[in-house]
Amino acid sequence: MTSATIKQNHSVSWVKLDDSQLLLVSGTDTAKFLQGQVTCDVRELANGVTRIGAQCNPKGRILLSFRALQMNPETIALRIPVSMREKAMQNLNKYIVFSKAKLADGSNDFLLYGLYGPQVHQFAEQLFSVLPEQIDGFVEKSGNFLIKLASDRFECWINNANHDEFIQQLSSVGTPGKLNDWALLDIQAGIASVTAETYELFTPQEINYQLVNAINFRKGCYTGQEIVARLHYRGKLKRHMYRFEIAANGLPSPGTPLYHGVTQQTAGQLVAAAQRDSQTAEVLASVIGENLDDLVMPSGKEKLKRLPLPYAIPTADEKPE
């Protein structure tokens, strides 16, 4: 099902994001601690925006990807894949012991939902009274948070105390969707998360984080920053993330290698996949740019057809800002 099909069939659709959860970082040193750990500029969160970001290892490979939101002056929530909870706690706890901050599993405090469709603005306004003005902005009401992802898509972080009322409102207006629909919308937006299958596989630039405001190159030091900055200022990026379609009635796993159809050499890896219809899947793949026209899946039979992204991929000779 394409995003266009979704819009035609349902004026408002909703899906419980069971594959995601919140990790709460709280304490007087929360912002300072995270600023020294992640690619995005945590200071921007105080301005009523959210940021995609990543925690990297010393070699600049992603340990954790997230969306960050500052709930109050001493609490920042990271929305992460459920599959990354243990590794996230382990990797962040290595450094948080030196700060006046602590980590907590937020899955018992908040449930996460996605809202989408042509009438979603009206419905979201009924729930929250006001809407975020900008993409990646958010509003809060009664301990619940509404994040604007696109003109027709919102993410809701609902406090457990308000969950039953929220579900009643959803059921009366919206149509239940599927996690696959939400994943497809992420793919069409060119947004990807690192999962257990792709842990430490990609640098932030290899999944286009520099193109979705998830890396701030002027914020100062963090783990892996030297490698990430060197790729930006001195290197010519050979690999980016692109969107493709393939003939498939089952989804390949993240991390699946892709090959050049002629040379049979490895040309990239799959980052995310979602079924568009019974015979076609859309995928995001991190690929060496010169191999875009001859990519095949491991079987050698399914060829990847490139699709557009909502942002431009820079050429190798474009100078960074």
Side-chain angles (χ1 to χ4, degrees), residues 9 24 33 94 132 169 182 212 225 232 260 306 311 321:
N9 290 346
L24 305 178
F33 162 68
K94 289 180 182 178
Q169 291 175 297
W182 191 257
V212 294
Q225 181 265 343
H232 181 67
H260 190 279
R306 188 177 171 187
Y311 49 75
E321 296 181 358

Side-chain angles (χ1 to χ4, degrees), residues 9-47:
N9 290 346
H10 309 303
S11 59
V12 178
S13 294
W14 59 271
V15 58
K16 188 178 180 183
L17 304 179
D18 287 325
D19 59 348
S20 299
Q21 70 160 85
L22 297 189
L23 184 63
L24 305 178
V25 189
S26 59
T28 55
D29 285 349
T30 289
K32 179 181 178 182
F33 162 68
L34 286 175
Q35 184 74 349
Q37 293 297 318
V38 303
T39 59
C40 59
D41 192 341
V42 176
R43 295 169 297 187
E44 295 176 352
L45 300 178
N47 299 324

Side-chain angles (χ1 to χ4, degrees), residues 8-176:
Q8 289 169 3
N9 290 346
H10 309 303
S11 59
V12 178
S13 294
W14 59 271
V15 58
K16 188 178 180 183
L17 304 179
D18 287 325
D19 59 348
S20 299
Q21 70 160 85
L22 297 189
L23 184 63
L24 305 178
V25 189
S26 59
T28 55
D29 285 349
T30 289
K32 179 181 178 182
F33 162 68
L34 286 175
Q35 184 74 349
Q37 293 297 318
V38 303
T39 59
C40 59
D41 192 341
V42 176
R43 295 169 297 187
E44 295 176 352
L45 300 178
N47 299 324
V49 298
T50 67
R51 284 288 179 261
I52 296 170
Q55 181 196 22
C56 299
N57 68 16
K59 295 182 179 180
R61 300 280 167 176
I62 298 177
L63 300 170
L64 178 70
S65 60
F66 57 82
R67 182 179 288 273
L69 181 153
Q70 184 167 311
M71 291 183 163
N72 60 55
E74 294 191 0
T75 302
I76 292 175
L78 307 179
R79 192 259 290 132
I80 66 172
V82 169
S83 67
M84 297 304 298
R85 177 191 176 279
E86 296 302 326
K87 288 187 180 295
M89 297 285 284
Q90 178 183 346
N91 289 323
L92 289 170
N93 270 325
K94 289 180 182 178
Y95 304 98
I96 205 169
V97 293
F98 305 109
S99 302
K100 294 179 181 178
K102 62 181 181 180
L103 298 177
D105 184 342
S107 60
N108 292 324
D109 301 311
F110 290 88
L111 294 173
L112 311 184
Y113 288 84
L115 305 177
Y116 54 98
Q119 303 296 320
V120 71
H121 268 80
Q122 294 92 315
F123 179 55
E125 193 168 14
Q126 291 175 21
L127 294 174
F128 284 84
S129 302
V130 295
L131 299 179
E133 294 183 0
Q134 59 182 309
I135 303 298
D136 292 331
F138 74 92
V139 295
E140 181 271 339
K141 182 180 180 181
S142 303
N144 306 310
F145 297 86
L146 178 75
I147 304 165
K148 185 174 183 178
L149 304 184
S151 60
D152 58 355
R153 193 156 78 112
F154 293 87
E155 194 170 314
C156 298
W157 300 357
I158 303 301
N159 192 296
N160 268 355
N162 305 316
H163 182 251
D164 290 346
E165 179 183 356
F166 179 76
I167 284 295
Q168 288 178 356
Q169 291 175 297
L170 278 184
S171 301
S172 66
V173 177
T175 303

Side-chain angles (χ1 to χ4, degrees), residues 242-281:
Y242 299 86
R243 175 179 165 227
F244 301 92
E245 68 175 30
I246 58 172
N249 56 10
L251 293 179
S253 299
T256 296
L258 304 175
Y259 296 92
H260 190 279
V262 177
T263 66
Q264 300 302 309
Q265 293 182 329
T266 302
Q269 288 86 26
L270 198 76
V271 184
Q275 207 76 40
R276 191 171 72 195
D277 55 45
S278 61
Q279 300 298 320
T280 311

